[in-house]
Each structure stands twice: as C-alpha cells, then as structure tokens.
Amino acid sequence: MAYSYKHLKEEFVSNLSGGSIEEINYVTAVAPAALMLWSALQSRQGFFLSHGLKAYLTDFLLNVCAILFATTIYSSAPILLNLLLLFPAACLFVFPPAQSRQKTALKGPYVNGMALGAKENQSLDPLPERPFITAYRGGMIVVTCMAILAVDFRVFPRRFAKVETWGTSLMDMGVGSFVFSAGVVSVRPILKALLAGRPLDLSLSLRVAAKHSLPLFILGLVRLYSVKGLDYAEHVTEYGVHWNFFFTLALIPPLTAPFQSLSGLLPTVAVFSLLISFTYQVVLESTNVQAYILTAPRTDLISQNREGLFSICGYLPIFLAGQAVGFDILRRNMSENSNTTSGTQQRKQILRRLVFWSAGWMSLFFLSSSSKFGIGIQVSRRLANAPYTFWVAAFNSTQITLFCLVETIFFPGVYKATEKGIEAQECKKATSKVLAAFNKNSLALFLLANLLTGGINMSVDTLKMPREGALGIIIGYAALLTTVALVLHEKNLSIKI
C-alpha cells in the first residue's frame, strides 16, 4: 500500500505539459495588484501604520492569500481576481494622501535609535533601501512556499506544476525566479566593496562564496537522506536521483565568483549571462548532450543526476542576469545633488533601466522561442536552455518594474527624501511587514516550508483530500509560515543560511 501511494504521488506530478505564458502572467499579476491595494490603503488611509491584529490580518490576506487564491480557487479566473484588487485600489487613489495621519503616526525624534537631527542622519546612503525590491522578493518567496505544498493537492491545477520536459508552467518560473532574485541582491556586498575602494579579489570572493555554499550543501545532504530514508515520493526527472535544488543553490556562488572579479572589465555582467546561455544552447543543439540529458540510462553518478548537473549551465546565466539588474537599480547615483529633483530624476532612470532590461530579455525570448519569427526552440526547465533563461529574466525584470511603478505612484516620498532619517521613515511606511518578513528570512522560510510540506504529505492523503479540506490545510500552513516570519521579523532576527 505504501509503495502504491508513493507511486500515485509520483504519477500526480509527472508527465505534465504545463500551460500558457499568458495565463502565468495573469496569475502572477495578482502579486503587484495586491500590493497596489495595500499601497492605496497605506498611502490614503494610513491603514497599516498601526500594529494591531486588523492590520496584520489584512496584510496577510492581501499579500499571501491573494496569490494563494490565484493558484487555487481563482485559477480559472485570474483576471477577475486582479480586477477585484485593482478596482478598490483605483477608488482609493482618487483621495488625497492621509498626510496628517501619517505624520502623526511616524512622528518622533528617532528612527532606528538615531536622532533625526543628528549629523550622521543628514547624508543619503549610496546604497539605499529599495522597498519595491523587498516587495518583489517577499512576493516571490510567498508564491514559492505556497506552491510547493499546494501542488500536492488536486485543488492546484496540474498545468501550474512543473512540466516534464518541454513547456512552461508557474512552478517552472518559480524555480528560476528564486535564482534570479538571489542574483539581484547578491550585488550589495560587491557594491559596498566598490564604494569603499576595495578591489574585487578572486580569492576573497571564493572564500565568501564557500561560506555561503557550505550550509546549502549540508541542507542538500539532509534533504537527500530524508527523502531516501523516509521513502518519500520524488520526481527523478526534475533534478536526478540524488540531486536537489539546495545543491544547485550551493554551486552558484563559487561559480559566479570569477565573474564578479571580471565585472569591472565590461559594462554589464549580462554579457557573461548571454555568452554562457548562447554557448550552452549551441552545445545542446550541435552535440548529443541534449539527448544524453533526456534519454541516457542512469548507470553512474553523473548520469543519475544529469538534469541537476547540466541545468547549472542555465541557472548560472539567470543569476548573472539578476546581478545585472541589481547593479543598475540598487546603487544611488551620488554624482547628482541630493535634492527632490535629483531623486525624481534617479527614479525615472531606474524605471528606464528596468524597461530596458524587460524589453531586451523579452526580445531575446521571442527570437529564440518563436517558430514564426525566430529560431523556434521550445522552453525547457529540465534542460534550463536559453529560451528558459530568457523567459525567467524577462518575467522577473517585468515584475520588478511593476513593483517599482506601484511604489513610485503611491510613495513618492521614498525617492524624494533629501535626508537619511526621512528616507528611512518613508521606506518603512512603503513596506509591507508581511513581505518584509518573508524577504528577511527567505531561505530559512523556504526550508521550513519544505519541512512542513513533507510532514503534511506524510500525515494526510493529499490526493483524496476534498477541495475545502485542502484549502483549509494550505491556508493554515500559510498562516503558520507567516506567523513564524513575522515573529522573526519583529524580534529583528535574521537566520543566515
């Protein structure tokens, strides 16, 4: 019976063909739409300035449950859900900002323990907070955590689950987005070193990369032995017999370290991303490597884990594409005078760069995947081929653009601030506590989500669970994850993995 149930579970997530990119875009648009309603409530009503249960619950419903509902009960009508979120946001937008309420709630001589009038609080930080990046990364980890459990229930459409070989799906995008977002924020220590005048030493970069990779490698081993020891259902063609996503995450930092040292030689690290993508695709098309990955017998350690090993050639350029965006949007242009006009100009520059990256990656994806106007190569997450890389980069660049637009429209004080203390106030006001909490401990919460998913799957028969019961379990799981995230956030605890 145990083997039969395991077999049914594996069949449930195998041989799937995915869905359309258009539908994926509609479903994922719920995240920025929900943030828009959150922003309207905050900027027009000061709704989330308090720390009461009502504010936390509303934050949870908008930024966690909305995307959960988009992938379950509203999966066949994502446009309707988007309209239900956007209409009240548009109605609230016509009202003037609640200036008096916001000033009262944020009034005080201190921000993060520093006096607003202190000398060190006057100059703007060259590496400022970016609330729209916090929202983007928080939303990404939310949908990832929701999907890894929901996929085991029938309430989650099969077209959203990972495809077998060719095609696109929501969860295929989720894996790539995790890597891309990691690339975006990975440039902060590089920028700090450059601002401090320190050279990007390869040996130091490798030591730092090893420090980050070791815990991930250990987590990969723990997951491997847990899955094998508990005879847990697994999808072998996803990564291989022994490989898992933690091993992929562990390998990326040391592999990107040499490119960080060479980043000053080129205008953008996206050049490295393109070179790797094109080279890998040429190898796939002109040799028997593609056939080997898809059809070779699993006779040794390499062939048993060929999907995980070779997909590194796709995830590496995705990470570098994220770094290219990060270099463009995280650093403040300190050459301009720190006044309101320059802040507006810099925000326009960020939006222009984001539109440039979105359009560029979209064009490459269209040229590589279109059978009528391009080469006509199908997307494959299993291979992590060039069209998959371009699709992930285009999608995430566009998502960041949308989040940036929402912040620009509703919270102009973020980029118009002329002093560090005021900017800190404005950033705090523009940041969802739930999304900030998920962003702060993203990898730890991802690990917890995997552990909870395993426990739930071993405790209940997810395949026979009725729709209402499945939703109850997933919502409870989402509430637990959110509670843990908020507790860690409120205690200012960041679990580094």
Side-chain angles (χ1 to χ4, degrees):
M1 177 63 71
Y3 171 79
S4 176
Y5 179 63
K6 177 185 176 183
H7 180 71
L8 288 173
K9 295 280 287 186
E10 291 172 348
E11 286 294 313
F12 191 56
V13 295
S14 300
N15 302 311
L16 302 176
S17 56
S20 69
I21 291 178
E22 183 181 28
E23 183 182 34
I24 295 169
N25 291 338
Y26 288 145
V27 170
T28 53
V30 168
L35 182 68
M36 184 174 289
L37 180 52
W38 182 95
S39 300
L41 287 168
Q42 176 74 320
S43 63
R44 268 53 184 175
Q45 301 292 324
F47 190 87
F48 301 98
L49 295 178
S50 66
H51 301 281
L53 179 61
K54 181 175 69 171
Y56 282 115
L57 183 59
T58 305
D59 202 346
F60 169 71
L61 289 173
L62 287 177
N63 290 309
V64 178
C65 289
I67 192 65
L68 171 59
F69 294 154
T71 59
T72 52
I73 56 177
Y74 278 92
S75 60
S76 59
I79 296 177
L80 174 60
L81 181 56
N82 276 291
L83 291 175
L84 291 174
L85 293 167
L86 293 174
F87 180 73
C91 292
L92 285 169
F93 182 68
V94 301
F95 292 98
Q99 295 290 348
S100 58
R101 292 185 60 184
Q102 292 174 3
K103 287 181 179 178
T104 300
L106 291 171
K107 185 178 180 180
Y110 297 95
V111 174
N112 296 329
M114 293 190 297
L116 288 180
K119 184 178 180 180
E120 64 268 24
N121 226 23
Q122 300 302 312
S123 59
L124 293 171
D125 194 331
L127 281 178
E129 288 185 57
R130 299 293 192 198
F132 68 91
I133 292 295
T134 299
Y136 154 72
R137 278 177 49 83
M140 181 275 303
I141 192 64
V142 165
V143 68
T144 301
C145 290
M146 296 305 103
I148 60 176
L149 174 64
V151 69
D152 294 318
F153 293 88
R154 296 190 184 278
V155 71
F156 188 87
R158 294 301 85 196
R159 64 185 182 277
F160 291 168
K162 292 175 182 175
V163 302
E164 188 69 20
T165 302
W166 308 106
T168 56
S169 76
L170 178 68
M171 292 193 71
D172 287 331
M173 176 52 68
V175 176
S177 296
F178 203 102
V179 175
F180 186 95
S181 68
V184 172
V185 297
S186 71
V187 304
R188 287 191 71 90
I190 302 174
L191 290 173
K192 284 182 179 179
L194 292 173
L195 290 168
R198 297 195 302 268
L200 296 176
D201 182 67
L202 178 58
S203 60
L204 177 61
S205 297
L206 287 172
R207 287 197 298 272
V208 173
K211 182 180 178 181
H212 287 294
S213 294
L214 183 59
L216 290 167
F217 183 73
I218 293 173
L219 289 175
L221 289 175
V222 171
R223 176 173 172 79
L224 169 63
Y225 286 113
S226 299
V227 169
K228 299 299 181 183
L230 297 173
D231 197 30
Y232 191 72
E234 53 185 328
H235 190 191
V236 173
T237 58
E238 186 176 339
Y239 293 109
V241 176
H242 310 101
W243 200 269
N244 59 62
F245 191 50
F246 288 109
F247 290 141
T248 298
L249 293 176
L251 272 180
I252 288 176
L255 289 176
T256 55
F259 299 106
Q260 293 174 6
S261 301
L262 298 172
S263 60
L265 302 177
L266 294 170
T268 171
V269 291
V271 174
F272 294 126
S273 176
L274 291 172
L275 286 174
I276 297 171
S277 296
F278 287 139
T279 302
Y280 179 48
Q281 190 61 47
V282 169
V283 171
L284 288 175
E285 296 292 329
S286 60
T287 68
N288 63 351
V289 169
Q290 180 169 297
Y292 172 79
I293 297 172
L294 298 180
T295 62
R298 302 181 188 274
T299 56
D300 53 38
L301 191 61
I302 293 178
S303 61
Q304 287 176 334
N305 299 285
R306 56 185 186 264
E307 291 90 350
L309 290 169
F310 280 93
S311 64
I312 290 291
C313 297
Y315 289 118
L316 182 58
I318 289 174
F319 186 86
L320 291 170
Q323 284 194 324
V325 172
F327 276 119
D328 271 358
I329 66 176
L330 294 186
R331 181 177 181 176
R332 192 196 308 274
N333 183 0
M334 300 300 289
S335 63
E336 299 184 39
N337 295 325
S338 295
N339 52 44
T340 303
T341 302
S342 70
T344 302
Q345 290 172 348
Q346 290 193 40
R347 178 48 61 102
K348 289 179 179 179
Q349 183 182 24
I350 287 175
L351 286 169
R352 283 195 296 266
R353 296 300 297 173
L354 285 172
V355 170
F356 167 79
W357 286 120
S358 301
W361 291 118
M362 283 181 191
S363 299
L364 287 171
F365 172 67
F366 179 75
L367 291 173
S368 64
S369 61
S370 173
S371 56
K372 185 175 182 180
F373 300 102
I375 303 174
I377 304 172
Q378 286 185 282
V379 175
S380 174
R381 180 216 30 93
R382 185 177 175 186
L383 295 171
N385 59 3
Y388 176 71
T389 297
F390 300 151
W391 177 43
V392 170
F395 173 87
N396 282 273
S397 298
T398 304
Q399 282 279 302
I400 296 175
T401 304
L402 292 175
F403 282 109
C404 186
L405 276 172
V406 171
E407 179 187 294
T408 302
I409 294 169
F410 287 94
F411 301 104
V414 170
Y415 57 88
K416 289 183 178 180
T418 57
E419 295 179 4
K420 187 176 180 180
I422 296 174
E423 184 179 59
Q425 283 185 329
E426 295 296 332
C427 288
K428 184 177 181 180
K429 184 173 66 180
T431 305
S432 155
K433 285 190 176 295
V434 166
L435 294 181
F438 272 94
N439 173 63
K440 188 170 187 176
N441 287 288
S442 57
L443 199 54
L445 292 169
F446 179 66
L447 174 61
L448 176 60
N450 274 273
L451 294 174
L452 290 174
T453 296
I456 291 170
N457 272 276
M458 295 179 66
S459 303
V460 299
D461 188 342
T462 59
L463 299 182
K464 295 181 180 179
M465 183 65 60
R467 180 185 180 92
E468 295 76 13
L471 282 173
I473 290 174
I474 300 170
I475 292 173
Y477 155 89
L480 177 59
L481 269 180
T482 304
T483 300
V484 172
L486 285 171
V487 169
L488 291 173
H489 184 67
E490 290 299 326
K491 293 184 178 294
N492 199 28
L493 295 176
S494 180
I495 302 174
K496 302 296 182 183
I497 298 179

